[in-house]
Amino acid sequence: MGSSSTVQASLSGVTRVYPAGGAGKPVHALGPIDLELRAGEFFSVVGPSGCGKSTLLDVMAGLAPPSSGTIAFEGKPVRGQVPDGIGVVFQEDASFPWLTAYDNAAFAARQAGLPENEVRARVEHTLSFMGLMPFAGAYPAQLSGGMRQRVCIARTLVTRPRLLLLDEPFGALDQQTRLLMGDELLALWRETGATVLLITHSLDEAALLSDRIGVMSARPGTFIDLVETGWPRERDSRIVSRPEFGELTGRIWAGLRDQSMRALAAAR
Amino acid sequence: MTRAGIIRIGVLVGAVAALEAACRAGYVNRQAVIAPSEMVRGAWRVLGTQEARGHIAETLTTVSLAFLLSVIAGFAIGVALHRLPRFRRAVDPLLASYYAVPTFVFYPVFIVLFGLNRWPLVAIGFLFAVVAVAINTLDGLDRLPPVFMRTARVLRLSPRQTLLRITVPAIAPWLFTAVKFAVAYSFIGVIAGEFVQAGSGIGFAIAFAYNSFDNLTMYGLMLLLFAFVCTLNMSLWTWEQKLYARRGGR
Ligand SMILES: Nc1ncnc2c1ncn2[C@@H]1O[C@H](COP(=O)(O)OP(=O)(O)OP(=O)(O)O)[C@@H](O)[C@H]1O
Ligand SMILES: [Mg+2]
């Protein structure tokens, strides 16, 4: 099961400082961060806005170099390139407007050179799983923001990543839809057996979906708390009514409240 | 057809009919303008002659060369400038003021350089079109969402794959505008050059007919040119509208 404790990705002493642009000062955006992601776990990151969550994702994926520290994925150092086996869904809408939902979903698999019948099998499976099959022929302009984000998730899933990095994929959705999407994400996670790192600013979402939650401080973001939820692997959004759920969100918020106020004060 | 389309056709038909009536009633000097029906007859007669067909083929070849070269070079220049922001900052004012310069004055220089053949015309059409292509390519690249490039890196595409599979389709609307400019400017540059100094081509033939008071040939050729350019533009426009409808303006 996914609860095996092999380490799939690890960060040690990772920081990221954005160099000074123009007249500005360099921005210390992240770290130092130490983290070990266990193979198959569902890990969420919560933190105040601007604390460096997206930066953390960039560095983990090999999209941006760390200013110090090291990152490893499946035992090999991550440097300058995105390693095979990592899939990323960005915070921004990255669906390609010139392709249908189907072709968007097939894009990565085709680029990887998979035979077309294999591509079709995977795309159809993924699209129907995500409830997008009726919209396979639609262009992103004809889909809602949430559906476009699901198209991006499908495009990533079709490549069968072993580590899935999701940056606020449901940011644009209302609370009810978010809960349902969360259930979908859980089912997906169980089906694929992949490790998931989910960035979110919703405490409920983190408490509901995760095995573990990393609570980040205001910028420069570091982990101030690592919370084990202890949920069973078979779970869904109905656990919001359990008393432990309230305790969990309470604990996360206790850590976060102070940090969020600091972030807000710094922004003023 | 849309309401606007019907009105547009009505206006055109009305204008042509008014000209026809005015010519037939003798309000217009036949030495200056001939009736539209005469123009059609002229065009038909012109199409029947070997010589005129030669001029038409000549011009279309020259324009195609100017068009192709300007699109290829303009796109390459746009991509290169986008990759070299420092250099771009240096040449930006030059690009912005380019169309304030009457490029056409270089035509005699090109004739001296290349001789009186097709190439000075290609050069002048190219010069007219190339900067419009470069500017539109740059504009498209500036608006390319950075997240597309990040996606390309996550999918581990090569620079070539990224260009062909992501960049070009993403900026297709801008490239379309570039192509439309390139068509129009290559035509203007080449025809104007033929008018001024050339041994063949539609522009030359129109000037020749004008000088020999051969209004039937002159208006026939003008009508043919007009019809061709309009048809080309309309097809590009229709294609572009289809593209936009799908992409919803993105
Ligand atoms: N390219 C960049 N150059 C300079 N500073 C940057 C850059 N990208 C991000 N930053 C800064 O780094 C800090 C962290 O940014 P990041 O996008 O990682 O935050 P985040 O936690 O994802 O925020 P949000 O919750 O709003 O998505 C911010 O203060 C931001 O201004
Ligand atoms: Mg972010």
Side-chain angles (χ1 to χ4, degrees):
Chain A
M1 278 309 282
S3 57
S4 74
S5 55
T6 24
V7 172
Q8 191 187 38
S10 64
L11 291 84
S12 60
V14 168
T15 65
R16 172 127 175 105
V17 181
Y18 288 104
K25 282 186 286 183
V27 178
H28 183 180
L30 181 72
I33 292 275
D34 294 286
L35 177 68
E36 294 199 328
L37 278 187
R38 303 168 193 150
E41 80 172 319
F42 197 124
F43 189 96
S44 289
V45 176
V46 289
S49 185
C51 74
K53 301 183 295 294
S54 296
T55 305
L56 171 67
L57 177 136
D58 275 7
V59 172
M60 278 188 81
L63 285 166
S67 305
S68 62
T70 55
I71 304 121
F73 175 66
E74 296 177 341
K76 289 188 276 296
V78 175
R79 231 185 263 124
Q81 240 205 27
V82 182
D84 180 37
I86 294 189
V88 183
V89 177
F90 294 106
Q91 192 168 7
E92 303 90 351
D93 174 18
S95 62
F96 297 142
W98 61 94
L99 297 178
T100 59
Y102 183 96
D103 288 329
N104 260 291
F107 186 88
R110 284 182 179 148
Q111 285 304 311
L114 289 177
E116 194 58 30
N117 55 347
E118 173 70 14
V119 171
R120 191 178 331 114
R122 287 191 188 191
V123 168
E124 282 177 3
H125 177 76
T126 312
L127 287 184
S128 39
F129 184 85
M130 306 214 63
L132 284 170
M133 212 48 200
F135 305 98
Y139 287 88
Q142 299 156 339
L143 301 175
S144 71
M147 282 158 97
R148 275 185 232 159
Q149 202 56 282
R150 273 192 275 167
V151 168
C152 294
I153 297 176
R155 179 171 70 201
T156 305
L157 287 177
V158 165
T159 63
R160 309 233 166 115
R162 298 185 290 285
L163 172 59
L164 182 58
L165 306 176
L166 301 165
D167 196 350
E168 295 192 20
F170 313 133
L173 301 184
D174 58 86
Q175 184 70 20
Q176 306 85 283
T177 317
R178 281 177 89 116
L179 284 177
L180 294 178
M181 290 302 300
D183 281 343
E184 243 172 69
L185 192 55
L186 278 175
L188 224 153
W189 165 67
R190 275 193 298 269
E191 196 205 49
T192 59
T195 313
V196 172
L197 181 127
L198 171 75
I199 292 171
T200 174
H201 49 222
S202 157
L203 305 188
D204 289 354
E205 203 164 271
L208 168 67
L209 299 173
S210 325
D211 294 317
R212 281 200 300 162
I213 301 157
V215 183
M216 275 177 103
S217 68
R219 185 171 67 86
T222 55
F223 284 121
I224 49 171
D225 198 3
L226 278 180
V227 184
E228 296 258 4
T229 61
W231 298 130
R233 196 171 165 83
E234 298 293 329
R235 57 181 182 254
D236 60 39
S237 55
R238 278 170 299 189
I239 53 181
V240 292
S241 55
R242 292 220 213 157
E244 303 99 293
F245 181 79
E247 283 162 31
L248 262 174
T249 47
R251 172 166 166 199
I252 304 168
W253 178 235
L256 215 49
R257 186 172 182 273
D258 184 41
Q259 296 300 328
S260 303
M261 286 196 328
R262 264 179 46 195
L264 205 59
R268 280 207 178 118
Chain B
M1 187 177 288
T2 61
R3 209 184 154 74
I6 294 170
I7 294 174
R8 187 159 49 231
I9 287 183
V11 168
L12 278 175
V13 169
V16 172
L19 182 61
E20 181 79 36
C23 287
R24 293 210 177 177
Y27 292 135
V28 181
N29 183 354
R30 272 191 58 85
Q31 305 302 320
V33 181
I34 61 174
S37 56
E38 288 284 288
M39 294 180 191
V40 173
R41 193 166 67 85
W44 187 248
R45 205 187 62 181
V46 160
L47 274 180
T49 68
Q50 188 72 50
E51 195 198 344
R53 286 205 297 266
H55 287 310
I56 292 171
E58 176 75 21
T59 297
L60 291 186
T61 314
T62 310
V63 169
S64 307
L65 280 169
F67 167 78
L68 282 178
L69 290 174
S70 64
V71 168
I72 294 167
F75 179 71
I77 292 170
V79 171
L81 285 180
H82 191 74
R83 298 226 173 123
L84 305 167
R86 247 173 234 245
F87 185 63
R88 178 182 174 180
R89 269 199 296 281
V91 300
D92 240 357
L94 300 181
L95 289 184
S97 55
Y98 182 83
Y99 284 102
V101 179
T103 328
F104 204 76
V105 298
F106 295 114
Y107 185 50
V109 181
F110 290 133
I111 294 182
V112 173
L113 281 177
F114 298 120
L116 190 55
N117 53 36
R118 161 175 296 150
W119 296 102
L121 293 167
V122 172
I124 209 75
F126 172 83
L127 274 192
F128 263 161
V130 68
V131 171
V133 176
I135 290 175
N136 278 291
T137 305
L138 266 176
D139 197 21
L141 291 172
D142 287 342
R143 286 156 206 242
L144 187 66
V147 73
F148 286 0
M149 293 299 105
R150 281 144 54 87
T151 303
R153 291 186 56 203
V154 170
L155 302 180
R156 301 189 300 159
L157 303 191
S158 68
R160 199 186 123 86
Q161 286 174 320
T162 306
L163 184 73
L164 294 181
R165 298 307 212 86
I166 297 187
T167 309
V168 168
I171 67 170
W174 286 270
L175 295 182
F176 231 105
T177 307
V179 163
K180 284 195 299 185
F181 272 117
V183 169
Y185 284 162
S186 329
F187 260 105
I188 293 172
V190 170
I191 302 273
E194 288 175 345
F195 235 93
V196 172
Q197 185 66 272
S200 59
I202 299 178
F204 165 80
I206 291 176
F208 190 85
Y210 167 77
N211 286 324
S212 4
F213 307 103
D214 180 0
N215 269 353
L216 201 61
T217 306
M218 183 177 94
Y219 279 111
L221 281 165
M222 281 164 61
L223 182 65
L224 283 177
L225 185 63
F226 189 75
F228 183 78
V229 175
C230 284
T231 312
L232 194 62
N233 241 306
M234 282 295 282
S235 345
L236 280 173
W237 188 79
T238 315
W239 188 13
E240 190 184 25
Q241 291 304 308
K242 268 192 202 150
L243 187 88
Y244 273 133
R246 258 203 275 180
R247 296 174 54 143
R250 263 213 304 170

